[in-house]
Amino acid sequence: MKLGIRHWILFGVFAALLAAMPNAASAQSTRPGAVNEATLGQLITAMGLKPEKVEQRYDFAFKARLEDEEWQLSMSCVLSQDEEWVWIMAWLDELPTKAEDVPRTALLRLLAENDRLGNGKFFAYIPANRRFVLQKVVLNEDMTTARFQEMLKDLGATVVESYPQWATANWKQPTADPAQTATSPAGTTAPR
């Protein structure tokens, strides 16, 4: 098959367009204030936290304060594969081992809470260790220590505020003892 002059011109234009397109690595490096894996760890350390690196993820403890209460949260931070996004996770309760201890209504409440949260925050389930997390996903740009600390505070406050929804201890409903009697609406014990 012979290629005519038009085919060679189209091929040249196509090759020039491909060469002019930025690849993911060069696009990432042009965003102001973007962090890479190493500088993400430095950012966390600059906040006075002690991150532990596990593969590409950084695990660390973070204190969240809401009113007079202080909570010690287990958190993690990781970059997306293309380094365009920063994922921050607050580790929550482990899922009960028995399926009957996981009420569907509790899971539906978590999904409904996801809709209310917004701002890049949502609940998720990590099957590898059977734990819930509250995640926040932000664009990897303008990452300063102050901005990162505000993101952690925001996520920590949301963890504390949403405790009634994700705390698996709140899912357990008292089981009625068949030996006990029913109570009437007036508060008196019904006859046996």
Side-chain angles (χ1 to χ4, degrees):
M1 174 173 141
K2 283 177 118 178
L3 294 177
I5 189 82
R6 276 194 247 165
H7 289 104
W8 284 109
I9 292 172
L10 285 174
F11 178 75
V13 170
F14 183 70
L17 285 174
L18 281 177
M21 290 177 61
N23 62 26
S26 65
Q28 188 275 331
S29 64
T30 60
R31 283 193 311 269
V35 293
N36 60 30
E37 193 174 308
T39 56
L40 178 60
Q42 293 167 3
L43 183 70
I44 297 168
T45 302
M47 291 177 49
L49 303 173
K50 296 178 175 92
E52 180 182 326
K53 192 162 189 266
V54 180
E55 297 175 9
Q56 291 87 23
R57 185 185 78 218
Y58 288 96
D59 296 337
F60 54 94
F62 182 77
K63 291 181 182 175
R65 183 175 289 281
L66 186 65
E67 296 171 8
D68 292 336
E69 283 189 78
E70 186 173 273
W71 292 49
Q72 184 77 14
L73 303 176
S74 294
M75 296 184 120
S76 295
C77 192
V78 67
L79 292 173
S80 61
Q81 282 188 319
D82 61 5
E83 295 190 355
E84 286 191 40
W85 301 94
V86 178
W87 290 67
I88 307 167
M89 294 157 275
W91 294 91
L92 307 175
D93 284 351
E94 186 175 345
L95 197 65
T97 54
K98 295 183 207 170
E100 60 266 13
D101 290 338
V102 182
R104 286 181 234 160
T105 54
L107 298 178
L108 291 173
R109 280 193 296 270
L110 285 177
L111 288 174
E113 189 71 9
N114 275 348
D115 191 45
R116 186 191 68 78
L117 290 174
N119 199 22
K121 294 182 283 192
F122 58 94
F123 288 99
Y125 173 67
I126 309 296
N129 59 14
R130 296 180 31 254
R131 293 188 81 85
F132 287 117
V133 292
L134 181 60
Q135 299 186 18
K136 182 173 179 79
V137 181
V138 294
L139 191 60
N140 184 7
E141 64 182 13
D142 302 321
M143 285 294 155
T144 63
T145 305
R147 180 172 181 239
F148 195 75
Q149 187 163 19
E150 283 305 311
M151 289 186 291
L152 293 179
K153 285 180 182 179
D154 175 55
L155 189 63
T158 305
V159 168
V160 175
E161 291 165 357
S162 61
Y163 174 77
Q165 284 79 30
W166 61 260
T168 58
N170 292 343
W171 295 357
K172 296 183 180 177
Q173 298 176 1
T175 55
D177 183 357
Q180 292 182 351
T181 57
T183 305
S184 72
T188 58
T189 303
R192 288 185 186 216

